[in-house]
Amino acid sequence: MEKKRKMEQEEAETNLQILLEFLQCLRKQKVEEFNEIQNDLKYIKEDINAVEKRRIELYRARSRYSAKMRKLVDDSSAMTVRPSLGDKEGGAIVSSSVDSQEQGRAGTAQTRNTDARAPGNSQVVQWKDDHGGPDSQRPNQPGQAIARKKRIHAQFNELQTCYLQKRRYWARQSEKQEERVANVMNREGYSAGLEDFQSVLSTYTRYSRLRVVAELRHSDLFHMANIVSSIEFDRDDELFATAGVSRRIKVFEFASVVNEPAEAQCPLVEMSTRSKLSCLSWNKCTKNHLASSDYEGIVTVWDVTTRQSVMEYEEHEKRAWSVDFCRTEPSVLVSGSDDCKVKVWCTKQEASVLTIDMKANACSVKYNPGSSVLVAVGSADHHIHYYDLRNVSQPLHIFSGHRKAVSYVKFLSNNELASASTDSTLRLWDVKENVPLRTFKGHANEKNFVGLTVNSEYLACGSETNEVFVYHKEISKPAAWHKFGSDDQNDPDGEMGSYFISAVCWKRDSSTILTANSQGTIKVLVLAA
């Protein structure tokens, strides 16, 4: 009995100890969450005060400007009536006085109305929906502002996460650095974190749809040979080239495509090739040089002016999926192939300069825009291999996360790399810190190459639903999309679902995208509000 009581006591003590440890861990976690929420509330309060202060400053500046303009108008009226002192001009003087009084009353009324809209002593701005609140009671508010607020509400959780991430990041940076650079205010009085987020919010809410500006077609409709596998702008964004399974490279003038009717469109240059084409890359220094890769593994450098090949490289043993000219060293280019090789070429010699054995199919290759030695490779092994060409015995880093083959890799900046995969996702990576940043979902991509293009703020890709999707780099859900066929009259049999987007390309430093699909339709799309 004594032994039994001892065992029961030990069991009870053990149970209590386990319960205590659980409660202590729970309390620690909740205290940490509470402290984080307190810090977040502190950031939000600081930023609300900063934004309110800026609003008041803008309002006062507008009021001073209005007062100055009224004074100029009054002075101008006085100069007009001053010479008219005769009796016969008395009526004009009275009339001018009345007009001045009416202008003064109108100005006073306008000032009162402006005062009614002023920030006043309010410290908090409340977002209201269209069913109630101040915004719905202001019929003169621009529709665009209302639409932008709706976009904020639609993606509020994503934007909230973005704001808190940026605010916490800059707070950590200020703690690490003695000079506390993160607390330096910009000219509006905003902290670095708030300024960073404001840039995201402004660019994300600016656009909500893709508008068709122009359209052109490749040869016969509903013919699989029309598939456009690559579309690229030249160095100055004046020309763009298309290539695909039709074994032709076609070069168009962008301005004429946009400004002339579709039936009048024809390529400036057309070059025939021996095999189906998979990828194009313009030389960003030599305007008339264009590289192509094809299904036979041949990498060709073309002179668009003479319509002749400058160099042909035939070392790849299987289909070459991708080719890319280096931005910082114009005579160098890289290619990737199904033979599991990545090869570096120089236009000054006939043989490859370097070969990387990938052990898996190389689906996409891309030079870092700020380097001639850093190359990203998207592979069929589901990974992105990031190489320094000065030592290719092993990659600098392998980025893992995709569940299927990586079909495209593109750089947004020297430190930001985007990738597309047949797992129906895009991903964003930091190649400086070697960390994943974000995953983008919304499009469908399980078997085809549907294109990927990026600029400093946005990513755009195709979909097997025959749609183009655009994502802001800070938000994981689509910002805008456009469906091919939604405004077409060329699908009498209702078989549009069998088509997919096959190529996309941003026009540099603009909101314009070139897009093409497997039907051979090319559209110029523009991001619109």
Side-chain angles (χ1 to χ4, degrees), residues 193-206:
L194 180 59
E195 183 180 18
D196 197 359
F197 176 72
Q198 185 188 32
S199 174
V200 172
L201 190 65
S202 299
T203 54
Y204 177 74
T205 58
R206 186 176 301 147

Side-chain angles (χ1 to χ4, degrees), residues 193-241:
L194 180 59
E195 183 180 18
D196 197 359
F197 176 72
Q198 185 188 32
S199 174
V200 172
L201 190 65
S202 299
T203 54
Y204 177 74
T205 58
R206 186 176 301 147
Y207 307 116
S208 64
R209 63 188 178 92
L210 288 163
R211 180 169 56 88
V212 179
V213 174
E215 182 177 337
L216 61 94
R217 296 183 182 276
H218 271 208
S219 62
D220 299 328
L221 297 177
F222 308 115
H223 193 280
M224 289 306 292
N226 292 329
I227 295 176
V228 178
S229 57
S230 185
I231 186 166
E232 293 290 327
F233 274 107
D234 75 341
R235 181 191 67 186
D236 303 318
D237 290 339
E238 296 173 345
L239 308 175
F240 67 89

Side-chain angles (χ1 to χ4, degrees), residues 126-299:
Q126 294 183 349
W127 291 101
K128 299 290 185 180
D129 59 23
D130 292 339
H131 302 290
D135 291 344
S136 62
Q137 297 170 7
R138 291 167 59 185
N140 61 334
Q141 187 175 11
Q144 186 176 358
I146 296 175
R148 294 181 73 173
K149 289 184 180 182
K150 285 182 177 179
R151 290 197 280 278
I152 289 176
H153 287 297
Q155 299 294 343
F156 188 82
N157 290 337
E158 294 271 348
L159 292 168
Q160 172 186 243
T161 301
C162 176
Y163 167 79
L164 294 176
Q165 284 177 345
K166 292 187 176 299
R167 225 24 189 101
R168 292 167 184 170
Y169 169 79
W170 285 106
R172 289 193 300 269
Q173 292 298 107
S174 69
E175 292 172 359
K176 291 178 183 178
Q177 303 180 30
E178 292 181 0
E179 60 270 27
R180 304 182 70 82
V181 294
N183 284 335
V184 175
M185 302 294 181
N186 67 3
R187 60 188 180 87
E188 282 84 17
Y190 294 172
S191 65
L194 180 59
E195 183 180 18
D196 197 359
F197 176 72
Q198 185 188 32
S199 174
V200 172
L201 190 65
S202 299
T203 54
Y204 177 74
T205 58
R206 186 176 301 147
Y207 307 116
S208 64
R209 63 188 178 92
L210 288 163
R211 180 169 56 88
V212 179
V213 174
E215 182 177 337
L216 61 94
R217 296 183 182 276
H218 271 208
S219 62
D220 299 328
L221 297 177
F222 308 115
H223 193 280
M224 289 306 292
N226 292 329
I227 295 176
V228 178
S229 57
S230 185
I231 186 166
E232 293 290 327
F233 274 107
D234 75 341
R235 181 191 67 186
D236 303 318
D237 290 339
E238 296 173 345
L239 308 175
F240 67 89
T242 66
V245 300
S246 63
R247 295 181 173 86
R248 288 185 179 88
I249 298 174
K250 298 182 180 182
V251 179
F252 297 87
E253 184 182 28
F254 178 74
S256 65
V257 168
V258 171
N259 297 321
E260 295 178 7
E263 57 271 14
Q265 300 298 337
C266 60
L268 294 176
V269 175
E270 190 167 345
M271 298 175 289
S272 297
T273 62
R274 290 177 292 174
S275 180
K276 299 175 182 178
L277 296 163
S278 57
C279 185
L280 296 174
S281 176
W282 284 92
N283 191 309
K284 298 304 181 183
C285 296
T286 308
K287 183 178 175 67
N288 59 320
H289 279 189
L290 173 69
S292 68
S293 59
D294 67 28
Y295 280 39
E296 291 183 4
I298 301 172
V299 176

Side-chain angles (χ1 to χ4, degrees), residues 83-98:
S84 306
L85 297 176
D87 292 339
K88 64 180 180 178
E89 301 293 338
I93 297 174
V94 172
S95 176
S96 298
S97 300
V98 171

